[in-house]
C-alpha cells in the first residue's frame, strides 16, 4: 500500500467508497471532492499493490502562516480493506502535515463509531463537545475532538 496526493482521476473511486460507508448520511458527491481540491486542502489516497484506491483522507488548512488550524474533513477505507492499518497510515500522514505547520486539528466523528474514536484518541485527540443531530439525514450525533498543535520537533523527540 502506498499513499499519494488525491487527484481528480481518483474522485470516482472515492465517491464509490463514500456510498458504501455513509449511505444514510449524505455521502460526498464528486462535486464536493472537486471543491475540496479547488480549496487547496491536503488530501491523500491509499492505493493497493494493483493501484486500486482503497482509502482516502483529507485535511483542510485554514488561517495564515504561524496561525494555522486543521480540520480533518474525511477519512475512509473501503470495507474490504479495513483493519489493515490503512486508516492509521492516512491519519498519521495528515497529522504530520499539521505538525509541520504547528496546527491544532479539529474533527467530528459519529458518537457510535467506536473504531474511529479509538483511532483518534490513540493519536492525541480529546473529546471536547457533542454536536446533536450533526449527521444528516440520519440525525446521528457527533463528538467534536481536538488534537492540540504540535511542533515537528515535539513529535520526533
Amino acid at each position: 500500500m502506498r499513499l499519494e496526493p488525491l487527484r481528480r482521476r481518483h474522485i470516482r473511486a472515492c465517491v464509490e467508497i463514500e456510498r458504501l460507508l455513509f449511505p444514510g448520511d449524505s455521502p460526498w458527491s464528486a462535486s464536493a471532492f472537486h471543491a475540496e481540491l479547488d480549496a487547496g486542502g491536503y488530501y491523500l489516497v491509499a492505493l493497493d499493490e494493483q493501484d486500486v484506491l482503497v482509502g482516502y483522507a483529507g485535511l483542510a488548512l485554514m488561517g495564515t502562516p504561524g496561525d494555522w488550524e486543521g480540520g480533518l474533513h474525511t477519512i475512509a477505507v473501503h470495507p474490504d480493506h479495513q483493519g489493515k492499518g490503512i486508516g492509521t497510515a492516512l491519519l498519521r500522514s495528515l497529522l504530520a502535515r499539521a505538525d509541520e505547520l504547528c496546527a491544532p486539528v479539529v474533527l467530528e466523528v459519529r458518537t457510535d463509531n467506536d473504531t474511529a474514536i479509538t483511532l483518534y484518541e490513540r493519536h492525541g485527540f480529546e473529546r471536547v463537545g457533542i454536536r446533536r443531530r450533526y449527521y444528516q439525514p440520519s440525525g446521528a450525533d457527533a463528538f467534536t475532538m481536538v488534537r492540540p498543535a504540535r511542533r515537528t520537533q515535539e513529535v520526533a523527540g
Side-chain angles (χ1 to χ4, degrees), residues 88-112:
T88 297
L90 287 162
L91 179 60
R92 284 183 178 160
S93 292
L94 296 183
L95 295 177
R97 178 66 180 133
D99 292 343
E100 290 171 3
L101 301 170
C102 195
V105 179
V106 178
L107 63 84
E108 276 81 30
V109 59
R110 282 179 67 116
T111 57
D112 61 356

Side-chain angles (χ1 to χ4, degrees), residues 36-117:
E36 288 299 313
L37 287 179
D38 292 343
Y42 183 70
Y43 278 76
L44 298 173
V45 294
L47 302 170
D48 71 6
E49 298 77 24
Q50 289 79 37
D51 284 332
V52 174
L53 190 144
V54 296
Y56 55 89
L59 181 71
L61 295 165
M62 299 151 283
T64 57
D67 191 28
W68 292 106
E69 180 178 299
L72 198 154
H73 280 188
T74 187
I75 185 166
V77 176
H78 190 285
D80 293 344
H81 296 274
Q82 292 178 358
K84 299 177 181 177
I86 297 167
T88 297
L90 287 162
L91 179 60
R92 284 183 178 160
S93 292
L94 296 183
L95 295 177
R97 178 66 180 133
D99 292 343
E100 290 171 3
L101 301 170
C102 195
V105 179
V106 178
L107 63 84
E108 276 81 30
V109 59
R110 282 179 67 116
T111 57
D112 61 356
N113 191 342
D114 294 331
T115 301
I117 293 166

